[in-house]
């Protein structure tokens, strides 16, 4: 490995879940040897080495200049993979790993990895959205809720990259609509947020596909289309109400024709939309009287409620 005669400052090297190792950094040693030595400790290639993090000071890519300047004495160094390798590694686990490995990976995606634009870009390009939909079809509870949160993040990141190339299929949209009617509030909320992200995106025919998904889900369950969204408006959780209102408002705004918009309003009114909004307006007033008007959730709730109730020409729903 390194010549002991050239021993330099000791650094603690950490890589993902591996136990940390000590590393002797010597500035005079060729930088390619440093990369090879670090990588060999963890069974990865030098090309996969990406960056190091010093005591929470952010990260820098491992370049010859960075290595030649030396690591700070006594500080821990985190070595991770280049985004393309890191994304491929995560996808392999989501596709072929056991359930415990998949859970560990999905929590890592949500907490850290997808917050890195370079990683999320690679993850989406390599089919990450489809992999998340597949995972959603296999899991329940907290893991499903976290997978949907990751999916929402990917759908948002895809739009920031001019729409991306990965297309969401009708069956996958039906799955999201099905998840709105779920006993786990976090699952319902995350599914609604994913639907909002899809509607706000630039993909063609999204409005039509979501309408088809709503109809297909309702037919499968023997319910009226949109009845589950009216049910969500009556949830005790104010965030569910906010997100449901946001989804319905976005659906109304994204309607491709006035005829589509009028049809949706008629369906909502027939299902009791007027009554649901009346109840929500009372809830909002009660929360304000309790002194909760500073709540971010309540503020969003009232904004979405007003948008749902009123237009430039009067009220969508009459009382």
């Amino acid at each position: 490995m390194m010549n002991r005669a050239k021993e330099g400052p000791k650094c603690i090297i950490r890589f993902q879940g591996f136990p940390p190792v000590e590393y002797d950094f010597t500035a005079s040693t060729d930088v390619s040897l440093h990369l090879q030595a670090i990588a060999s400790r963890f069974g990865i290639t030098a090309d996969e080495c990406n960056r190091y993090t010093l005591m929470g000071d952010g990260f820098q890519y491992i370049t010859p200049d960075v290595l030649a300047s030396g690591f700070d004495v006594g500080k821990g160094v985190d070595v991770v993979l280049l985004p393309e390798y890191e994304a491929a590694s995560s996808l392999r686990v989501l596709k072929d790993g056991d359930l415990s490995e998949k859970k560990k990976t999905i929590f890592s995606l949500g907490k850290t990895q997808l917050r890195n634009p370079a990683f999320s870009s690679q993850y989406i390009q390599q089919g990450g959205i489809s992999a998340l939909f597949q995972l959603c079809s296999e899991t329940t509870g907290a893991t499903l809720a976290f997978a949907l949160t990751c999916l929402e993040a990917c759908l948002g990141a895809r739009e920031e990259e001019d729409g991306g190339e990965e297309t969401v299929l009708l069956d996958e949209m039906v799955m999201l609509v099905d998840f709105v009617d779920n006993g786990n509030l976090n699952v319902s909320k995350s599914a609604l947020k994913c639907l909002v992200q899809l509607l706000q995106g630039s993909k063609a025919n999204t409005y039509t596909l979501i309408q088809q998904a709503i109809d297909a889900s309702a037919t499968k369950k023997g319910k009226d289309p949109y009845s589950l969204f009216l049910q969500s408006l009556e949830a005790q959780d104010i965030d569910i109400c906010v997100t449901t209102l946001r989804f319905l408002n976005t659906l109304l705004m994204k309607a491709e024709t006035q005829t589509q918009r009028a049809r949706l309003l008629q369906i909502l009114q027939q299902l009791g939309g007027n009554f649901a909004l009346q109840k929500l307006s009372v809830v909002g007033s009660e929360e304000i009287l309790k002194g909760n008007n500073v709540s971010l959730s309540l503020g969003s709730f009232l904004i979405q409620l007003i948008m749902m109730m009123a237009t430039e020409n009067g009220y969508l729903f009459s009382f």
Side-chain angles (χ1 to χ4, degrees):
M1 174 86 63
M2 308 292 291
N3 188 327
R4 301 303 295 180
K6 294 183 177 181
E7 184 176 299
K10 290 185 181 295
C11 296
I12 302 299
I13 311 292
R14 293 180 296 272
F15 173 67
Q16 296 184 343
F18 290 87
V21 299
E22 270 195 353
Y23 182 75
D24 298 326
F25 181 83
T26 306
S28 60
T29 300
D30 184 85
V31 290
S32 63
L33 294 179
H34 279 306
L35 283 174
Q36 292 172 22
I38 292 171
S40 67
R41 297 289 185 96
F42 303 108
I44 60 177
T45 67
D47 287 341
E48 291 175 306
C49 286
N50 178 7
R51 66 193 189 196
Y52 69 88
T53 307
L54 300 177
M55 303 297 284
D57 294 331
F59 68 84
Q60 291 177 275
Y61 287 97
I62 293 181
T63 63
D65 289 342
V66 169
L67 282 177
S69 66
F71 296 123
D72 289 355
V73 178
K75 288 192 174 183
V77 180
D78 290 334
V79 177
V80 299
L81 301 178
L82 284 164
E84 56 265 37
Y85 292 106
E86 191 178 8
S89 177
S90 295
L91 285 167
R92 278 195 299 272
V93 174
L94 290 183
K95 291 176 181 177
D96 303 321
D98 59 34
L99 184 57
S100 63
E101 291 173 326
K102 290 180 178 181
K103 285 183 177 180
K104 183 177 179 181
T105 298
I106 200 67
F107 284 113
S108 178
L109 281 172
K111 289 182 177 180
T112 57
Q113 291 174 307
L114 288 174
R115 298 181 184 183
N116 177 0
F119 172 85
S120 64
S121 175
Q122 286 293 325
Y123 183 80
I124 293 167
Q125 288 179 34
Q126 294 182 38
I129 291 176
S130 294
L132 285 172
F133 270 114
Q134 181 60 38
L135 182 65
C136 287
S137 71
E138 301 169 352
T139 54
T140 58
T143 305
L144 171 57
F146 221 85
L148 287 168
T149 298
C150 293
L151 180 59
E152 180 198 356
C154 284
L155 292 172
R158 181 184 67 168
E159 287 307 314
E160 291 177 6
E161 295 187 354
D162 300 323
E165 296 182 0
E166 200 169 359
T167 301
V168 177
L169 305 176
L170 176 59
D171 286 349
E172 294 169 336
M173 289 193 184
V174 173
M175 187 193 310
L176 287 177
V177 176
D178 287 344
F179 286 147
V180 174
D181 186 17
N182 191 283
N184 185 315
L185 288 179
N186 289 325
V187 169
S188 300
K189 195 183 310 180
S190 295
L192 282 164
K193 289 180 178 179
C194 286
L195 289 169
V196 172
Q197 281 285 6
L198 285 168
L199 273 174
Q200 291 177 336
S202 59
K203 290 289 184 182
N205 299 324
T206 298
Y207 179 88
T208 301
L209 284 173
I210 287 183
Q211 292 278 14
Q212 291 174 353
I214 292 171
D215 290 340
S217 178
T219 300
K220 182 168 54 175
K221 296 180 179 181
K223 296 182 177 181
D224 291 322
Y226 296 97
S227 61
L228 68 93
F229 299 105
L230 268 296
Q231 180 182 318
S232 295
L233 288 179
E234 298 182 4
Q236 297 297 312
D237 187 294
I238 194 168
D239 286 335
I240 289 284
C241 295
V242 172
T243 311
T244 303
L245 284 167
R246 181 175 291 118
F247 170 70
L248 293 174
N249 283 329
T250 307
L251 203 60
L252 285 167
M253 288 187 290
K254 290 287 185 175
E256 296 167 354
T257 65
Q258 185 59 39
T259 300
Q260 289 178 330
R261 187 175 295 108
R263 175 181 174 273
L264 175 55
L265 287 172
Q266 183 180 29
I267 291 172
L268 292 175
Q269 288 173 330
Q270 289 172 346
L271 290 171
N274 294 23
F275 182 63
L277 291 182
Q278 281 180 317
K279 288 174 65 176
L280 287 175
S281 64
V282 172
V283 170
S285 300
E286 289 176 347
E287 291 297 316
I288 291 174
L289 289 174
K290 291 176 186 177
N292 293 337
N293 54 312
V294 295
S295 163
L296 179 62
S297 292
L298 180 60
S300 298
F301 165 71
L302 292 174
I303 290 170
Q304 294 299 321
L305 181 60
I306 290 168
M307 287 176 63
M308 189 69 187
M309 291 171 61
T311 67
E312 293 179 359
N313 299 319
Y315 288 95
L316 296 178
F317 290 90
S318 56
F319 298 116

